Amino acid sequence: KPMPAYRLIAGKNTKLQEASGGNSPCSMKMENIGQPPPPQAPGEPRQPMPLPVFVYTCHGATMASFAETLGGAPTADRTFDGKPLVDQTGLEGAYDFTFRFTPDVPRGFAVSGESMPLLEALDKQLGLKAELGTAPMPVITVDSAIEKPTENSPDAAKSFPPEPAEFDVAENSSP
C-alpha cells in the first residue's frame, strides 16, 4: 500500500563508483569528537560548539541495502521524521563510496568546523536525493475481528512465565 516514506532517488549526476570487487556492510565512524567549549559567564557570547562528523563508507553496496542501512544512521531518525527510506534510484549493481555528514544544527546555534547535514551530504557528495513522498510498503490488513475472543486452552498457561509476586512499596520503603 502506498505509505509516507522518503524516496532515495538519483540526481542528474550521481557520483558513485562501481564496486571494485567484494562487498562488505557499510560502516560508520565518527571524527572530530572534541570537547565542548568551557562554560562562559552570563552575558558573554556563546562559544562555538564542535560538531561530530559521521563518515559512512560502503564497499559493494546496492542502493537497496544502502537505503535500508542509512535509515539507521545517527541523526537519520530526525532527518527522515521516523519514516522509512526506500530505494527508488533505479541504479542497478553495487557501488563503493564514502560520504561525510554532521548533525542538523538548530538556527542560531554557533558551531565550529565542518557542517553538512545528511540530506545535503547525500546530494553534494553522492548525487543522490531523499525526497518525501509515498512508496509501496507492506501493511497488515485486518479483514475481521471477533468481539468476544475464544477461551485459552487449559495448557496455554504452561507457555507463559508465572506472574510476579505483588510488591507493596509502602511496606518495603525506607523512612
Side-chain angles (χ1 to χ4, degrees):
K1 178 177 179 177
M3 300 294 288
Y6 275 84
R7 302 175 314 122
L8 185 65
I9 58 174
K12 291 179 182 173
N13 297 314
T14 60
K15 300 170 185 175
L16 301 169
Q17 294 181 333
E18 288 193 28
S20 59
N23 70 1
S24 60
C26 295
S27 63
M28 196 250 344
K29 69 178 182 175
M30 282 180 37
E31 293 179 352
N32 194 32
I33 308 168
Q35 294 293 323
Q40 68 267 357
E44 286 186 19
R46 262 189 197 171
Q47 296 292 324
M49 180 82 152
L51 287 176
V53 177
F54 303 107
V55 182
Y56 209 86
T57 303
C58 297
H59 296 288
T62 64
M63 289 295 100
S65 68
F66 174 58
E68 186 177 322
T69 59
L70 186 60
T75 77
D77 56 336
R78 290 186 63 196
T79 301
F80 301 126
D81 300 320
K83 294 174 181 59
L85 178 64
V86 179
D87 171 39
Q88 292 190 345
T89 61
L91 298 173
E92 300 294 325
Y95 300 90
D96 294 338
F97 55 90
T98 297
F99 76 106
R100 304 164 59 86
F101 64 97
T102 61
D104 290 333
V105 179
R107 240 175 238 228
F109 199 88
V111 296
S112 63
E114 200 173 332
S115 177
M116 182 164 299
L118 179 57
L119 295 179
E120 186 179 342
L122 279 172
D123 184 24
K124 288 185 177 180
Q125 297 172 33
L126 301 180
L128 301 173
K129 296 183 184 299
E131 296 179 345
L132 183 58
T134 60
M137 303 296 291
V139 297
I140 296 174
T141 303
V142 178
D143 289 328
S144 66
I146 300 170
E147 191 172 324
K148 183 177 187 257
T150 57
E151 294 292 325
N152 288 335
S153 73
D155 292 333
K158 294 177 185 174
S159 300
F160 297 97
E163 289 191 30
E166 293 205 21
F167 183 72
D168 187 355
V169 176
E171 289 178 20
N172 296 314
S173 61
S174 302

